[in-house]
Amino acid sequence: MSELNAQPERKPLSLNPKALATRIVKKFTTKEGIIGSYSYAALFTPDIPFLQKKDVYQPFFPLHGEMPLLLGAILGLQHSLAMLAGVITPPLIISNVANFDTEITQYLVSTSLIVSGLLSFVQMIRIKVPYTKYYIGTGLISVVGTSFATITIITGAIPQMYKNGTCPTAADGTKLPCPDGYGGILGSAAICSLLEIAMSFVPAKILQSMFPKLVTGPVVLLIGASLIEDGFKNWGGGSNCYGNAGTDGYYSVCPNLGAPKAAVWGSSKYIGLGFSVFATIVICERFGAPIMKSCAVICGLLVGCIIAAACGYFSPDGIKVAPAASFIWVHTFKLTLYGPAILPMLAVYMVCAMEAIGDITATCDVSRLPVEGEEYESRIQGGLLADGFNGCIASLMTITPVSTFAQNNGVISITKCANKKVGYWNCFFLVVMGIFSKFAAALVSIPNPVLGGMTSFLFTSVAVSGLAIIASLNPITRRDRFILTCSLLFGFGATLVPDWFSYFFTYEGDNHGLKGFLDAIVLVLETGFAVAGFLGLLMNLIIPGEKGDGDTITGESTELEVSSTENYPIKNEVEPNSKEFE
């Protein structure tokens, strides 16, 4: 371990009752134990133009060590706010796709918060598997939340379920709530989590060679690109009323005819309401205090909600009827296996595994811990095992699979705090937010344009992460360009024209096994990131590597200087003033 990354060795907690009591009393009764020497003003001071900001030295809090109670609580709340938007977005979109009522939607939002808090705790505590060298968890501030990748699976699978009769439809064609379809997704996700659990026992170097950035970059890019469409539909008023012509020839009103401030989709007031969220995010990034910058998306959501409430867009009915408290399994769903979703769900877990490796590496880096060697590889193994285990447990807890979140690494970097006690505070706040279901009810009642302004920004940031992964291929060789073209060809095609493969198979017989198999093929080929991932993996295996891009002539002397001549000697047979040499 380098001197830069070196941290003091963790001292075991004293079991002496007297010493332990003295330590607890000191923690709760002294200024050092409660407040510490941290500069709170610097954390909350905005970057005001034309005013010189004083440079403040902030101490670094290592993984293990003392942490003032107040500072731990504040930074833990900051972590929970930084990930709040990402945690609540998937259940809101999934509920809309499955046509769930307000009660089920509120439950899913509450449960998503609770499960994210509990399973983040599993990642942080790092449990050793008995009688083995393996661990569950990273032992770092590795937070987890509901994965965005599953949204694209559900937006493809649920409409398919309505077509094949798995989901109910009213006599007039109205789509009814589909809890059994959601249960099929959960059951499939629980089974497919075994893939990531198995991957955790493969050395990290082998995994990175099997799934290089050339494969994972386009997948992450396409996940974000496919989700941006839903964000923009909500920004314009709601995906449920987009493209639905009313009896008078205009689009149907959003969100419904009797709702406050109802208007046609794409109304200027809806676009403006969503834009207020985006403008606030930009302002927070430019002028906000450090704590605001890491929570800029939530600040934008809050300002959008204030404007919407002041203008009469909110309906308090859902908040009034919501129960005071909620918890896991208040509502349950029948777990089944939906065959067509298996292959796309396996792709989701591959993506989650690769994201986890990248996020854990970044967390080690900002926590000033080694990013190579035995300790680092052990944390990767534990993180992947916990990620797969958490995916299964989340499904059994009625929530779609969770994945490791990256945005909290920015919080660690800004605050210079990698102490796990802050992570435990984060878990506490997430669970509390989820238990008090009035909070979830308030989130569910957010008008679609406000939600769309926030989610569009979030989903675009996912796409940008994919671009960053691709850009890190430096230089991008001809082989890389060819493989990217092959995978993005079908990936972008399926994203832009999602029903392009719906009419390929024409089988209408009674063989349900065959129909399920054909539906699986259709679902994979109509899920942009899944087809891009599988095709990229295949191309990476069969396209041979290049021997080199050739030798580069440097200089103008009569003797040719060659940047690389390995195994390819060059004879100087060119006249220096000839046209060939030029």
Side-chain angles (χ1 to χ4, degrees):
M1 183 188 302
S2 67
E3 293 183 8
L4 178 65
N5 288 333
Q7 292 189 10
E9 186 178 348
R10 184 182 183 186
K11 297 179 180 179
L13 184 65
S14 173
L15 297 179
N16 186 307
K18 185 177 180 180
L20 187 59
T22 302
R23 186 174 178 179
I24 294 174
V25 170
K26 183 180 178 181
K27 187 67 155 178
F28 286 90
T29 59
T30 64
K31 179 182 177 182
E32 190 63 29
I34 299 175
I35 300 177
S37 57
Y38 195 82
S39 176
Y40 293 87
L43 190 63
F44 290 95
T45 302
D47 185 8
I48 302 174
F50 311 113
L51 290 182
Q52 188 174 2
K53 196 172 182 180
K54 190 166 60 175
D55 292 332
V56 178
Y57 170 77
Q58 298 284 33
F60 177 76
F61 293 91
L63 187 63
H64 306 293
E66 293 298 324
M67 168 60 59
L69 289 173
L70 178 61
L71 180 62
I74 291 175
L75 297 184
L77 179 61
Q78 183 181 6
H79 273 280
S80 61
L81 292 176
M83 62 186 296
L84 179 62
V87 171
I88 67 172
T89 298
L92 289 174
I93 294 178
I94 290 169
S95 295
N96 186 44
V97 174
N99 296 289
F100 288 147
D101 58 23
T102 302
E103 182 182 0
I104 299 296
T105 304
Q106 291 173 358
Y107 163 76
L108 290 179
V109 172
S110 288
T111 306
S112 184
L113 289 166
I114 296 171
V115 169
S116 295
L118 295 177
L119 298 185
S120 293
F121 184 75
V122 172
Q123 271 283 23
M124 293 177 198
I125 58 175
R126 189 164 165 79
I127 307 168
K128 193 173 191 303
V129 180
Y131 309 111
T132 70
K133 63 178 181 180
Y134 300 109
Y135 288 84
I136 299 177
T138 64
L140 308 170
I141 304 182
S142 297
V143 299
V144 302
T146 40
S147 174
F148 285 163
T150 54
I151 299 176
T152 56
I153 301 294
I154 292 174
T155 53
I158 295 293
Q160 190 179 76
M161 292 180 187
Y162 278 109
K163 289 181 180 178
N164 61 29
T166 304
C167 293
T169 306
D172 60 355
T174 303
K175 296 178 179 178
L176 302 176
C178 188
D180 288 346
Y182 183 65
I185 297 295
L186 294 179
S188 303
I191 293 296
C192 292
S193 66
L194 297 174
L195 173 64
E196 190 172 5
I197 292 174
M199 292 173 68
S200 69
F201 298 104
V202 179
K205 291 181 180 178
I206 296 178
L207 286 177
Q208 288 172 326
S209 65
M210 290 174 59
F211 303 98
K213 296 176 180 178
L214 186 63
V215 175
T216 58
V219 171
V220 177
L221 169 62
L222 288 163
I223 289 173
S226 63
L227 293 173
I228 292 171
E229 180 184 3
D230 289 318
F232 254 59
K233 285 179 180 178
N234 278 323
W235 191 332
S239 57
N240 59 323
C241 60
Y242 171 77
N244 296 327
T247 55
D248 55 356
Y250 293 97
Y251 289 141
S252 59
V253 294
C254 300
N256 53 62
L257 189 59
K261 300 287 184 178
V264 296
W265 189 92
S267 171
S268 58
K269 58 184 180 182
Y270 285 158
I271 302 297
L273 191 57
F275 187 79
S276 68
V277 179
F278 172 75
T280 304
I281 294 172
V282 174
I283 292 171
C284 287
E285 183 63 29
R286 174 59 185 88
F287 303 111
I291 196 169
M292 289 179 65
K293 289 183 178 181
S294 60
C295 309
V297 175
I298 287 299
C299 291
L301 183 66
L302 180 61
V303 170
C305 288
I306 292 172
I307 294 173
C311 296
Y313 286 88
F314 266 103
S315 173
D317 297 340
I319 302 175
K320 290 178 181 178
V321 300
S326 180
F327 203 69
I328 306 166
W329 301 305
V330 170
H331 294 280
T332 57
F333 305 89
K334 184 173 66 176
L335 297 180
T336 57
L337 191 66
Y338 184 62
I342 294 297
L343 285 177
M345 196 62 73
L346 290 175
V348 166
Y349 278 106
M350 290 180 187
V351 173
C352 289
M354 293 302 102
E355 284 182 337
I357 292 176
D359 294 342
I360 295 166
T361 303
T363 306
C364 287
D365 186 42
V366 296
S367 301
R368 303 186 185 181
L369 294 168
V371 291
E372 58 184 8
E374 187 177 343
E375 178 189 338
Y376 163 73
E377 291 183 358
S378 176
R379 293 191 188 279
I380 292 291
Q381 175 275 313
L384 287 180
L385 183 54
D387 218 43
F389 175 78
N390 286 346
C392 180
I393 296 301
S395 300
L396 299 180
M397 290 179 170
T398 69
I399 288 298
T400 51
V402 296
S403 62
T404 308
F405 273 20
Q407 57 262 50
N408 294 71
N409 293 326
V411 179
I412 297 174
S413 179
I414 289 173
T415 60
K416 294 183 180 180
C417 180
N419 194 285
K420 277 206 299 185
K421 297 181 181 66
V422 170
Y424 298 149
W425 276 108
N426 168 61
C427 298
F428 168 77
F429 284 119
L430 287 174
V431 172
V432 169
M433 289 177 190
I435 289 176
F436 291 99
S437 54
K438 294 288 186 183
F439 179 74
L443 295 173
V444 171
S445 65
I446 294 174
N448 283 329
V450 176
L451 191 65
M454 177 200 69
T455 55
S456 296
F457 187 89
L458 273 181
F459 296 152
T460 306
S461 71
V462 174
V464 170
S465 297
L467 285 175
I469 294 173
I470 297 173
S472 65
L473 296 168
N474 188 21
I476 299 180
T477 65
R478 182 185 180 281
R479 175 180 181 271
D480 294 341
R481 289 194 297 269
F482 182 83
I483 294 175
L484 286 171
T485 302
C486 289
S487 58
L488 290 175
L489 162 65
F490 288 94
F492 276 130
T495 300
L496 296 173
V497 189
D499 60 347
W500 77 284
F501 208 76
S502 296
Y503 312 102
F504 185 87
F505 297 115
T506 57
Y507 177 75
E508 297 292 343
D510 298 328
N511 190 331
H512 296 290
L514 178 58
K515 290 183 71 173
F517 177 71
L518 298 179
D519 284 345
I521 296 175
V522 171
L523 188 57
V524 169
L525 290 172
E526 291 187 348
T527 305
F529 84 88
V531 66
F534 287 125
L535 195 56
L537 182 62
L538 177 64
M539 291 293 111
N540 187 55
L541 291 174
I542 66 175
I543 301 298
E546 297 176 350
K547 293 182 179 179
D549 289 334
D551 302 318
T552 303
I553 298 176
T554 62
E556 299 178 0
S557 65
T558 55
E559 294 184 5
L560 300 184
E561 297 178 7
V562 181
S563 62
S564 173
T565 59
E566 53 186 55
N567 301 324
Y568 301 98
I570 296 180
K571 294 182 180 180
N572 184 9
E573 297 177 349
V574 183
E575 291 292 331
N577 293 323
S578 68
K579 292 183 180 179
E580 275 188 73
F581 184 78
E582 294 174 356

